[in-house]
Amino acid sequence: TLRMLVPVLLVLSFCLRGRAGLAPHFLQQPEDQVVLLGDEARLPCALGDYRGLVQWTKDGLALGGERDLPGWSRYWISGNAASGQHDLHIRPVELEDQASYECQATQAGLRSRPAQLHVLVPPDPPQVLGGPSVSLVAGVPANLTCRSRGDAHPTPELLWFRDGIRLDGAIFRQTPLKEGTIGSVESILSLTPSSHDDGATLVCRARSQALPAGKDTAVTLSLQYPPVVTLSAEPQTVQEGEKVTFLCQATAQPPVTGYRWAKGGSPVLGARGPMLEIVADASFLTAPVSCEVSNAVGSANRSTALDVQFGPILQAKPKALSVDVGEDASFSCVWRGNPLPRVTWTRRGDAQVLASGPTLRLPAVGPEDAGDYVCRAEPGLSGRGGGSAEARLTVNAPPVVTALHSAPAFLRGPARLQCLVFASPTPEAVVWSWDEGFLTAGSRGRFLVETFPAPEGLKGQGPGLISVLHISGTQESDFHRGFNCTARNRLGEGGTQVSLGRRASASFSKQKNLVRIPGSSDGSSSRGPEEETGISKDQGPIVHTDHSDLVLDEEGALETKDPTNGYYKVRGVSVSLSLGEAPGGGLFLPPSSPLGPPGTPTFYDFNPHLGMVPPCRLYRSRAGYLTTPHPRAFTSYIKPTSFGPPDLAPSTPPFPYAAFPTPSHPRLQTHV
């Protein structure tokens, strides 16, 4: 029997374990729900292996165990209780139904998880203050206010739309009630309307989760605006001097009250209506015509510039340049014209076009690039305008020194050597040097240096200087040595060698006291052929005297024939000539010695003296005659016992012309 009880006990134990696995439990529990106000809410609840009492609680308050829930007219429990279905229904849902609900199996001590019921209240249609038509002024900032009232839940958002497009930038504001609930919400749209907004429709939409599509309220804009102006010209493209008509049209609310015309900001006198006729010129291209139209709200202005075609006008001339050798040079000139003028660059005296456009660039210039450069613009289609402008390029380089022709000199007589210096920048010094010395200015023994501006410089090579080396009492060695003329500036130095030529002895004519100086290039004169009898053509210029004939031999000794037949002693005569032909027929003469009167011009034109009556008439060196400046040059009344070479007193200066301050002939002097 014991063996039979063991299996029975095992079966009972197994059965008891199976009965324990069928304890009451939830098959379905309620979950959070969102229900629109007025709709029905259903909270499900299902239990397994439970046959006892089931009830629902609202925020912890029991609703009752009956299926129809007495006292809660809108609440009931549905489902097959035998199968454990106990669903809670609420219809219609009101705002007060928003709470936390639980399903409880009281006898089994079971409670479901809480389920939150949310009740949504859709918003009412919003209201736009001042609608349905709002009056605004164009150009004046304004605010449109949209307001939503009621117990909408959740709080709605207010949106603005125009032509179906959402407008951004509105300000949202809520107004709470005293109890802490939301009383109303507002949305303020700020805008600055224009005349184009007249008649436009704006929509304010109240939208929330309770009403995703939202509710709309429309408002129409009614605008007052100043004139909207359009300005046209006919024709738009004109030649200078042609007539053009401007037409000013405007729309406005309220209507237009007046027109005002201006050109380049200055009123056009006499123009009152919407039309203006005027003759066009080049100024219309940069001075537009404007039309101002007014009404009670304000005024508006429109302007237009004509396409006036005119010939080139020079706006900015090229400027002179001074650059060092090897550097780049750039010129620019500005021409104004319509159409844009064609500008070309050339070098003065050369037709080759160097560049086109407003700028000329010369890379790494050399001395050969110095000169005048011309920018030229051709006349326009009308034949008007155009022209040229030029600027000089100075190339800074070491000095260029050139030896000028120097007349041959007598032995023991005066001599003059000269060189021409061109340099930019101006030379710091011009130096004459020879075997035993050098001299830059002033005098030293038999030598004197004078430097003065040349009458005209070479184009672009800077100012010219003429430096003259005077020799008083030439010696034999002077004709066999070289004299160096050297100039220097910050860029370097240049120089040349000048030699002194020797002149044959002078001969004196007995006919009318004419003294011919050998070496003249032209023997013509105004004296007539009878005065030149026996005189060779290349013997040199003649000096007129009122005294007896003089003969100067090669050694420089001056032999005289006594014009007073022994009554007076003529001790000697010295003639100093410093002549050189200048452009235009004048003579290059060095400035007066420091011993002479100040302010003597460096370039003296003797042409005004050519008509003077002798004995003070002076001819060009090429003409061949030079008049002795003073008829009383021989004034010693000592009867000579013999005739010999002149003996100069110790106080006699080495340069005779410097001691005789005759204003009109500073380079010619005789001494007795």
Side-chain angles (χ1 to χ4, degrees):
T1 57
L2 183 59
R3 290 181 178 178
M4 294 178 63
L5 287 174
V6 172
V8 172
L9 292 174
L10 292 174
V11 171
L12 290 174
S13 175
F14 178 80
C15 291
L16 289 174
R17 290 180 180 179
R19 296 286 296 181
L22 298 177
H25 59 279
F26 281 102
L27 299 177
Q28 185 179 12
Q29 298 187 52
E31 295 181 352
D32 294 345
Q33 289 190 24
V34 176
V35 183
L36 188 63
L37 182 71
D39 290 350
E40 180 179 338
R42 174 179 171 272
L43 299 174
C45 179
L47 291 166
D49 297 325
Y50 180 73
R51 298 293 183 269
L53 178 66
V54 176
Q55 69 173 1
W56 285 85
T57 62
K58 176 184 178 182
D59 290 337
L61 177 65
L63 299 179
E66 292 81 359
R67 306 291 284 183
D68 57 356
L69 298 178
W72 302 88
S73 59
R74 297 180 293 107
Y75 290 52
W76 73 92
I77 298 175
S78 68
N80 187 351
S83 61
Q85 195 71 34
H86 306 277
D87 298 341
L88 177 63
H89 292 260
I90 305 174
R91 189 180 62 189
V93 174
E94 296 181 358
L95 189 60
E96 65 184 23
D97 298 327
Q98 183 169 283
S100 176
Y101 294 86
E102 290 182 3
C103 178
Q104 299 178 357
T106 305
Q107 294 172 339
L110 296 177
R111 299 175 60 182
S112 70
R113 60 174 175 266
Q116 190 70 34
L117 180 64
H118 298 278
V119 179
L120 302 182
V121 181
D124 294 332
Q127 176 188 7
V128 178
L129 303 185
S133 179
V134 178
S135 180
L136 303 175
V137 177
V140 178
N143 293 329
L144 295 180
T145 301
C146 178
R147 181 175 297 165
S148 177
R149 298 180 180 273
D151 298 327
H153 183 78
T155 302
E157 59 177 344
L158 301 178
L159 307 175
W160 289 93
F161 294 87
R162 177 174 178 173
D163 299 331
I165 301 174
R166 181 175 173 177
L167 303 178
D168 296 325
I171 299 175
F172 186 77
R173 184 170 60 190
Q174 297 179 347
T175 302
L177 297 176
K178 293 181 179 180
E179 294 80 7
T181 60
I182 301 302
S184 65
V185 292
E186 291 180 348
S187 178
I188 301 174
L189 177 67
S190 298
L191 73 163
T192 302
S194 67
S195 59
H196 302 291
D197 298 324
D198 187 34
T201 298
L202 301 183
V203 173
C204 178
R205 178 175 299 167
R207 186 179 69 179
S208 71
Q209 186 181 359
L211 189 62
K215 291 184 179 180
D216 296 344
T217 298
V219 64
T220 301
L221 302 183
S222 176
L223 290 177
Q224 290 187 336
Y225 53 91
V228 178
V229 182
T230 57
L231 180 61
S232 60
E234 183 63 34
Q236 185 66 40
T237 301
V238 294
Q239 293 288 337
E240 185 177 12
E242 293 182 351
K243 182 181 291 186
V244 63
T245 301
F246 294 90
L247 182 61
C248 185
Q249 297 175 308
T251 58
Q253 181 63 33
V256 172
T257 57
Y259 295 85
R260 189 176 76 92
W261 292 89
K263 174 180 174 287
S266 300
V268 179
L269 301 179
R272 292 285 183 267
M275 184 179 295
L276 173 66
E277 288 186 351
I278 200 166
V279 175
D281 56 35
S283 65
F284 281 80
L285 194 64
T286 54
V289 173
S290 62
C291 173
E292 183 180 84
V293 186
S294 305
N295 69 352
V297 176
S299 62
N301 188 299
R302 288 292 179 272
S303 62
T304 183
L306 286 179
D307 183 16
V308 182
Q309 296 187 348
F310 58 94
I313 300 173
L314 182 62
Q315 296 288 99
K317 296 181 180 180
K319 297 181 180 179
L321 295 177
S322 177
V323 299
D324 290 351
V325 62
E327 294 183 351
D328 297 343
S330 179
F331 290 100
S332 64
C333 71
V334 179
W335 291 86
R336 175 172 167 262
N338 187 30
L340 192 66
R342 179 177 181 268
V343 179
T344 58
W345 290 87
T346 59
R347 190 167 180 174
R348 187 175 182 183
D350 190 350
Q352 180 183 1
V353 176
L354 303 176
S356 297
T359 303
L360 171 65
R361 291 182 175 85
L362 301 174
V365 298
E368 68 279 1
D369 296 314
D372 294 327
Y373 289 85
V374 182
C375 72
R376 180 175 287 102
E378 299 299 328
L381 298 177
S382 62
R384 302 181 181 180
S388 63
E390 64 181 50
R392 176 165 295 182
L393 172 63
T394 300
V395 179
N396 299 325
V400 176
V401 183
T402 305
L404 296 179
H405 173 72
S406 299
F410 295 116
L411 180 64
R412 299 181 185 174
R416 182 188 67 176
L417 302 177
Q418 54 188 3
C419 65
L420 178 61
V421 179
F422 285 113
S424 178
T426 304
E428 302 166 4
V430 179
V431 182
W432 284 91
S433 61
W434 54 95
D435 294 341
E436 65 270 18
F438 66 91
L439 190 60
T440 59
S443 61
R444 177 183 177 184
R446 299 181 297 115
F447 302 96
L448 174 84
V449 170
E450 295 175 303
T451 301
F452 51 93
E456 182 178 358
L458 295 180
K459 299 288 190 294
Q461 289 194 1
L465 296 174
I466 293 179
S467 184
V468 182
L469 174 65
H470 297 275
I471 306 175
S472 175
T474 60
Q475 299 177 359
E476 185 68 34
S477 60
D478 295 335
F479 300 101
H480 303 292
R481 77 174 97 201
F483 293 86
N484 296 314
C485 177
T486 306
R488 66 174 178 271
N489 61 12
R490 64 178 176 82
L491 296 173
E493 69 176 31
T496 188
Q497 189 176 78
V498 185
S499 299
L500 178 61
R502 187 166 183 168
R503 176 175 293 184
S505 60
S507 62
F508 293 82
S509 171
K510 295 182 179 181
Q511 183 178 0
K512 294 191 178 181
N513 298 328
L514 300 181
V515 179
R516 177 173 297 278
I517 301 176
S520 171
S521 60
D522 192 347
S524 62
S525 73
S526 61
R527 292 290 187 172
E530 71 281 356
E531 300 181 9
E532 301 184 15
T533 304
I535 306 299
S536 63
K537 187 175 182 180
D538 59 347
Q539 286 181 312
I542 296 177
V543 178
H544 294 262
T545 70
D546 293 334
H547 308 286
S548 59
D549 297 341
L550 307 176
V551 177
L552 185 65
D553 62 13
E554 186 175 353
E555 296 299 318
L558 185 65
E559 297 182 0
T560 63
K561 181 179 179 181
D562 185 5
T564 62
N565 294 322
Y567 186 78
Y568 303 113
K569 178 181 180 182
V570 180
R571 298 189 61 185
V573 62
S574 173
V575 180
S576 174
L577 299 177
S578 180
L579 303 175
E581 187 170 359
L587 294 176
F588 284 124
L589 294 181
S592 61
S593 167
L595 300 176
T600 306
T602 59
F603 174 68
Y604 197 92
D605 187 1
F606 284 98
N607 285 329
H609 299 280
L610 295 180
M612 296 175 60
V613 179
C616 293
R617 185 167 60 184
L618 180 66
Y619 294 85
R620 299 189 224 175
S621 61
R622 184 170 293 181
Y625 294 98
L626 190 64
T627 305
T628 305
H630 293 277
R632 296 189 302 153
F634 301 93
T635 56
S636 175
Y637 295 96
I638 302 174
K639 186 174 181 178
T641 57
S642 64
F643 298 93
D647 48 345
L648 300 177
S651 61
T652 303
F655 298 96
Y657 66 84
F660 193 84
T662 304
S664 60
H665 306 292
R667 291 290 183 265
L668 182 62
Q669 179 61 51
T670 61
H671 298 269
V672 178

